[in-house]
Amino acid sequence: MSKSIASICILRLSAIGDVCHAVAAVQAIQRAHPQAKITWVIGKVEAMLLADLPGVEFVVFDKKRGKAAFKDLKAQFKGTKFDVLLHMQVAFRANLAALFIPAKVKIGFDNARAKELHSLFVNQRIAKQTEPHVLEGFQQFAQAIGAKQESPCWEMPYTEEDEQQAEVLLSGLKRILVISPAASKKERNWLPERYAALADYAAEQGFDIVLTGGPTELERNLSSSIVEHANCKILNLVGQTQLKTLLCVLKQAKLVLAPDTGPAHMAVTVGTPVIGLYAHSNPKRTGPYLFQDYVVEVYHKNILAQKGKPANELPWGTRIKGAELMAQIGVDEVKAMFDKVVEQEKL
């Protein structure tokens, strides 16, 4: 596409991990089109993390407002017409939002990844990819408008004050293992006694243990149970950090242990190694991008058992169900991965 693009709209509403992936693509676009004005339509919570991202104007779409959110979007863009809309989300709510974003060109996903009538809301598509990670899909949008293919990198927005707040919370701690134990769905969480066993093991190796997470009842209960089962000292920060402060806590950590959850991807953006625990979704698609070799997973054996085919013979991104799948990940497997990461990263 022409290098004379003057205005670009990004449509990616959620979730935390996905918008972290999208940042790398947006910043690649900025390098390719430094003169372009970039507007990003984003979810309310996600905007809290990315606020003040250099060179990007955010328009917050608050899904809790229901129909009013679409009216807000229509009013926001009255009299505006973007050169290009990069429609990076296939959920029906996002597809409807695309109706209210005027653009000369609307680029969406290829037919293989299009869902929930996505193809009806775009007039161009990114190239088909073979078994892409979510981040690689977003990179394809950047390449569709002239950005170079390159290794992802991030410049995340946080201030000295955010870093200082993290330093105060972590005062006296040096070799930090952050455990961010809770995913958005309970079935994707590892068992509290196993998190505790890994915490004890890491503490024996000289690590200081920190728990992080949001203020929900599920997260508070899970973190309390981990602390109760553990013998080592644990700093429980669950429910005590804003997203930018959490980002800086993750930045100061030596290592992060997490299931398929947003903070795992936040840690990747600041270069902190992540051990990911996966059972329900394919880590090749949604794992911590720079640290996929550090994943402990039971996804592939379970998708074969449930579907009768390996993942590469099924629709890409196929998820599997089961409340007890994460229990198949053993403590010894995670300890072995912990040892591998500590040795390879020289932590």
Side-chain angles (χ1 to χ4, degrees):
M1 185 170 283
S2 170
K3 291 194 174 183
S4 63
I5 295 174
S7 59
I8 301 167
C9 185
I10 309 294
L11 174 56
R12 180 71 214 192
L13 304 178
S14 60
I16 290 294
D18 291 323
V19 299
C20 285
H21 298 322
V23 167
V26 170
Q27 292 180 333
I29 291 168
Q30 289 176 316
R31 290 188 288 274
H33 300 283
Q35 79 291 345
K37 178 183 177 183
I38 297 179
T39 303
W40 187 338
V41 181
I42 194 170
K44 186 177 181 179
V45 173
E46 293 76 12
M48 295 177 186
L49 174 63
L50 299 188
D52 301 318
L53 191 70
V56 177
E57 176 188 356
F58 287 101
V59 172
V60 174
F61 182 93
D62 185 357
K63 64 182 181 182
K64 291 183 179 180
R65 286 178 52 76
K67 292 181 180 178
F70 297 99
K71 292 180 179 179
D72 293 344
L73 205 57
K74 183 177 181 180
Q76 175 76 36
F77 293 135
K78 185 177 181 180
T80 299
K81 191 155 193 175
F82 294 98
D83 288 331
V84 61
L85 166 66
L86 301 181
H87 185 359
M88 296 182 172
Q89 190 161 353
V90 298
F92 188 64
R93 181 186 290 114
N95 290 330
L96 283 181
L99 276 178
F100 301 96
I101 303 174
K104 298 173 186 175
V105 176
K106 295 187 176 184
I107 302 176
F109 283 98
D110 57 283
N111 287 331
R113 282 174 284 187
K115 300 176 183 178
E116 302 191 34
L117 304 180
H118 178 78
S119 295
L120 298 180
F121 298 87
V122 300
N123 52 30
Q124 291 187 24
R125 295 168 180 80
I126 62 171
K128 185 178 179 180
Q129 295 169 289
T130 302
E131 300 184 357
H133 190 280
V134 171
L135 183 146
E136 293 165 348
F138 294 157
Q139 285 181 316
Q140 190 69 36
F141 281 90
Q143 291 161 28
I145 58 170
K148 295 179 180 179
Q149 185 172 355
E150 57 188 9
S151 298
C153 58
W154 294 263
E155 294 180 28
M156 295 294 284
Y158 55 84
T159 64
E160 287 186 13
E161 183 179 354
D162 296 323
E163 287 193 293
Q164 289 169 0
Q165 289 176 353
E167 288 173 1
V168 169
L169 290 170
L170 302 174
S171 179
L173 307 184
K174 294 181 180 179
R175 198 177 178 212
I176 299 168
L177 166 67
V178 166
I179 299 176
S180 185
S184 57
K185 294 183 179 179
K186 185 177 180 180
E187 67 177 12
R188 297 182 194 171
N189 298 336
W190 207 28
L191 284 65
E193 61 271 22
R194 297 187 187 181
Y195 279 124
L198 201 286
D200 286 340
Y201 183 74
E204 291 170 2
Q205 317 302 316
F207 281 81
D208 296 310
I209 315 301
V210 176
L211 292 179
T212 63
T216 66
E217 183 179 3
L218 183 153
E219 290 170 283
R220 291 186 184 277
N221 290 342
L222 178 57
S223 63
S224 295
S225 184
I226 293 169
V227 172
E228 289 172 7
H229 281 92
N231 296 314
C232 66
K233 182 179 179 181
I234 295 179
L235 175 62
N236 187 357
L237 297 181
V238 171
Q240 298 183 43
T241 55
Q242 298 295 322
L243 281 170
K244 288 182 181 292
T245 306
L246 173 58
L247 183 68
C248 293
V249 167
L250 296 167
K251 182 174 182 283
Q252 294 183 37
K254 294 291 187 183
L255 179 61
V256 172
L257 172 68
D260 186 5
T261 186
H265 304 293
M266 290 169 64
V268 172
T269 70
V270 290
T272 302
V274 179
I275 296 174
L277 307 179
Y278 280 72
H280 297 86
S281 58
N282 191 336
K284 291 183 178 180
R285 180 180 177 272
T286 62
Y289 188 75
L290 297 181
F291 305 105
Q292 293 182 77
D293 289 344
Y294 298 160
V295 166
V296 181
E297 58 91 11
V298 292
Y299 170 82
H300 285 91
K301 74 174 186 180
N302 278 289
I303 200 166
L304 185 61
Q306 288 191 17
K307 305 292 185 179
K309 295 180 180 179
N312 61 358
E313 294 181 14
L314 292 164
W316 186 240
T318 299
R319 296 188 179 217
I320 51 177
K321 298 180 180 180
E324 307 301 325
L325 296 184
M326 288 292 285
Q328 296 177 16
I329 297 177
V331 172
D332 288 343
E333 296 172 81
V334 183
K335 285 181 179 179
M337 183 59 72
F338 176 87
D339 291 340
K340 172 184 173 180
V341 177
V342 169
E343 180 179 357
Q344 290 194 3
E345 299 287 338
K346 297 179 171 55
L347 302 181

